[in-house]
Amino acid sequence: MTTTSIPRPAHRRHVEAADPDPRARGTVRGEQLRDGIPAALDAYDRLFALGFVSPAQVREDAERALDAIGRFRPGARAEIEGIAHGCGIEPWRVGVLNARTEILARSATVPPGECTTIVRRVAGAGGSAPRTFGVQTWDWHIELSALWHTLEIRGGRHGFVGLTEDGILGKIGVNSAGLALHFNILGHVRDGIGGVPVHVLAAIVLEEAGSVAEAVEIVRGAPLASSGSFALFDGTDAVLLDLSPVGVFPVRAEHGTLVRTNHFLTPTPAADEKTWLYQPDSGERHDFVRARLARAAAPATLDELLGHLVTGDGEPPVTCLPDLGKPLGQRWASLATVALDPATRTARILDGTPADIGSRQWRVLTAS
């Protein structure tokens, strides 16, 4: 399997910001992304146009999203405004990026990408405490392959490390309290604008939550108008959540393992799922990973778990390579592979697909 068709920068950008004032912290972030944010906006503007979402609608949606963020967490809106200030653009434009999932939910012509997540909770031997760890692919449009970065953010209640897209507050990571978050997109017929965007909520959880219980409380208290999945795990506990406009629903682990692709795993939101977006692909990947895990010895380490993300010809595309023969909006790829370890508060981020493990260097970040 080759990934030479996925364009990647020679040096992936790493963004650091540490300030107790959210706007100042955002300004530092924006200054480091002055070239990436305009390029990301250009890519998303093309995707919005392809999905017949007008520029006026995009701006209205972004401004509504900023208002919802400001009501829920004024500091998060201030940080977004700081990013805009540091980058030299209007705040609503950065609002567009943070609400890109919700805006794209209006489109019937731009299918979303796909991600696969596995989290393990391993019982401690001889009465010792259990351990948790998780891995995922982040699959998205190849046009965004140069427009994401790793990050280290400090100044809030907890520092956190991980990756996100240029201009977006957060996505996948682990914080200094040892709370980890993997992120997948889901689709519900009621998805739209009016709540806190799921990417912003992920950043809020990483900044504020010191445990799975605290993270779940934050998520349940957030006004949601769109869908997603957070796999949340700390040193001893793990939970998988279906997030949707009709509520937040936990998913039970099977033999200490949580597997997530891109469909709801609980009945209430699944009743009105946008099945045409993700199926049969999501179900095939989910079943494949579960069957592979059932056949093998239970993974006891991160490296063992990562091997379950590698797929090849004739298998469901857990390792996702782009079909460059397809048009804009239909060429997605595994832009990154991520491994999170709450016990050491580390995020290992590979600028490559799971098949690149061993041939490309991991970036290892520790939250403090």
Side-chain angles (χ1 to χ4, degrees):
M1 180 178 293
T2 176
T3 59
T4 55
S5 59
I6 301 177
R8 302 183 186 278
H11 301 285
R12 178 67 59 185
R13 182 186 285 108
H14 179 67
V15 170
E16 296 185 19
D19 197 297
D21 178 68
R23 182 180 173 88
R25 190 163 64 239
T27 298
V28 172
R29 295 176 69 166
E31 289 170 347
Q32 296 173 75
L33 296 166
R34 290 185 69 91
D35 58 338
I37 289 176
L41 281 165
D42 178 69
Y44 277 113
D45 283 344
R46 286 183 286 137
L47 290 172
F48 297 147
L50 188 65
F52 301 102
V53 186
S54 71
Q57 185 67 68
V58 169
R59 178 165 187 166
E60 179 183 333
D61 286 352
E63 290 176 340
R64 286 183 62 196
L66 286 175
D67 288 342
I69 295 165
R71 288 190 296 270
F72 183 64
R73 290 294 191 275
R77 176 168 185 161
E79 190 163 356
I80 290 171
E81 292 173 344
I83 291 173
H85 177 73
C87 183
I89 61 176
E90 293 181 80
W92 74 268
R93 292 295 278 158
V94 181
V96 167
L97 295 174
N98 282 273
R100 59 86 158 161
T101 298
E102 289 72 19
I103 298 171
L104 283 172
R106 292 185 179 278
S107 171
T109 60
V110 180
E114 55 189 40
C115 302
T116 304
T117 295
I118 314 171
V119 173
R120 283 278 292 152
R121 183 180 185 273
V122 180
S128 61
R131 296 181 296 116
T132 66
F133 46 89
V135 298
Q136 83 164 94
T137 60
W138 173 49
D139 304 343
W140 196 231
H141 300 283
I142 196 171
E143 289 78 13
L144 278 296
S145 62
L147 302 173
W148 62 270
H149 60 275
T150 60
L151 76 167
E152 180 177 356
I153 305 299
R154 288 176 285 118
R157 182 187 180 199
H158 303 296
F160 64 93
V161 297
L163 70 80
T164 192
E165 297 174 60
D166 292 357
I168 297 181
L169 286 188
K171 185 188 295 286
I172 303 161
V174 62
N175 70 18
S176 55
L179 185 279
L181 186 154
H182 284 298
F183 183 107
N184 293 57
I185 290 297
L186 309 176
H188 192 276
V189 295
R190 289 177 55 181
D191 285 344
I193 293 291
V196 175
V198 285
H199 281 87
V200 175
L201 184 57
I204 290 169
V205 167
L206 286 170
E207 180 178 334
E208 296 184 7
S211 66
V212 167
E214 289 184 3
V216 171
E217 183 178 2
I218 292 168
V219 171
R220 289 195 180 281
L224 289 173
S226 57
S227 300
S229 169
F230 291 172
L232 300 164
F233 49 112
D234 55 28
T236 60
D237 196 11
V239 66
L240 187 61
L241 299 179
D242 278 352
L243 280 61
S244 76
V246 295
V248 175
F249 305 89
V251 180
R252 293 181 179 179
E254 293 184 2
H255 308 294
T257 304
L258 296 163
V259 178
R260 165 68 76 189
T261 51
N262 298 99
H263 60 280
F264 290 106
L265 298 175
T266 56
T268 300
D272 289 305
E273 185 168 33
K274 292 181 177 179
T275 54
W276 60 91
L277 287 180
Y278 295 105
Q279 299 293 15
D281 172 79
S282 181
E284 291 171 349
R285 283 183 289 121
H286 191 264
D287 292 346
F288 177 85
V289 171
R290 290 177 65 235
R292 174 182 270 183
L293 286 163
R295 289 193 304 268
T301 68
L302 267 172
D303 288 334
E304 291 176 10
L305 196 60
L306 283 161
H308 290 276
L309 295 176
V310 180
T311 54
D313 293 340
E315 296 176 323
V318 175
T319 296
C320 182
L321 297 177
D323 183 348
L324 297 182
K326 291 187 176 182
L328 172 72
Q330 297 182 36
R331 299 181 294 183
W332 48 82
S334 294
L335 302 186
T337 306
V338 186
L340 302 179
D341 186 349
T344 57
R345 307 182 313 284
T346 58
R348 291 164 53 189
I349 300 166
L350 186 73
D351 193 350
T353 76
D356 291 319
I357 294 171
S359 64
R360 299 180 67 88
Q361 291 290 319
W362 290 96
R363 177 170 286 175
V364 182
L365 304 172
T366 303
S368 61

